[in-house]
Amino acid sequence: MKVLWLVSITIPAAADACGLQAKEIGGGWLSGALGGMTAAPDAPAITVASVDARAETLTVCSKNGVSFALVPTGSVENFSALLKKIAPDLVHIWGTEYPEAAAMQDAAAAVNLPVLISIQGVMRDCAAHLCDGVPDAYRHSGGLWHTIDKVIPGELLDNMQANFDVLAQKEAAVLGKARCVTGRTGFDR
């Protein structure tokens, strides 16, 4: 079986295999899950794909028996080309709130590929409870704070709330079209 993972970051192993400098963010549990999966004697062939602005063209590289794909930022056509090149039996999308999840879901549906969605936190619930316990006076930033935030981006609660609300809507759209969904934690499930 050939499985294509779509993840929201370029994990260090992918950067290394494709000759890129690893970003500051590590692979965390994704790297651990990949290591655990590929160590199993009956492991499926896995290609780990991520959208990376440093990729000028669709790039597929391999290292230690794992394939990695770097997809240039863009449209569904990039995912369609990746699916054609890799020819997976299953697409496994890790995370639902980022735009690439919906684009991959649409590309896979166009060629009748099954898709498994793994929730990584339920954004609707995160958005609903982001400001729990925070007094109303601290939830809203005035014009001066928004002006400063444009020059020196920070973490204004009203901006964070608006961002979480948008992510929750994107997640709902992906989940609304999904047939197979799993979660890593009890909260997700």
Side-chain angles (χ1 to χ4, degrees), residues 19 23 25 33 37 46 50 89 94 97 99 102 115 124-125 162:
K23 292 189 177 183
I25 297 174
M37 288 279 295
I46 296 176
S50 60
D89 299 304
W94 295 88
E97 68 278 0
V115 174
R124 179 198 65 207
D125 293 338

Side-chain angles (χ1 to χ4, degrees), residues 6-11 30 49-51 94-95 97-98 100 120:
L6 177 65
V7 299
S8 62
I9 63 168
T10 299
I11 62 174
L30 277 170
S50 60
V51 173
W94 295 88
E97 68 278 0
Y98 59 105
E100 292 81 11
Q120 296 173 266

Side-chain angles (χ1 to χ4, degrees), residues 18 22 27-28 43 61 65-66 71 80-81 84 89 91 119 121 148 150 183:
C18 297
C61 5
V66 180
V71 181
S80 297
K84 190 173 188 174
D89 299 304
V91 174
I119 295 175
I148 292 169
K150 288 178 183 173

Side-chain angles (χ1 to χ4, degrees), residues 140-154:
H140 307 288
S141 304
L144 175 61
W145 282 108
H146 282 281
T147 301
I148 292 169
D149 191 60
K150 288 178 183 173
V151 177
I152 306 168

Side-chain angles (χ1 to χ4, degrees), residues 4 78-88 91 104 107-108 111 113:
L4 174 65
N78 288 320
F79 291 120
S80 297
L82 176 62
L83 293 175
K84 190 173 188 174
K85 185 172 189 139
I86 301 299
V91 174
M104 177 59 87
V111 293
L113 271 173

Side-chain angles (χ1 to χ4, degrees), residues 18-62:
C18 297
L20 297 176
Q21 179 73 26
K23 292 189 177 183
E24 291 177 18
I25 297 174
W29 66 267
L30 277 170
S31 293
L34 179 62
M37 288 279 295
T38 56
D42 57 347
I46 296 176
T47 299
V48 181
S50 60
V51 173
D52 195 307
R54 299 172 292 176
E56 294 179 15
T57 61
L58 175 60
T59 305
V60 178
C61 5
S62 297

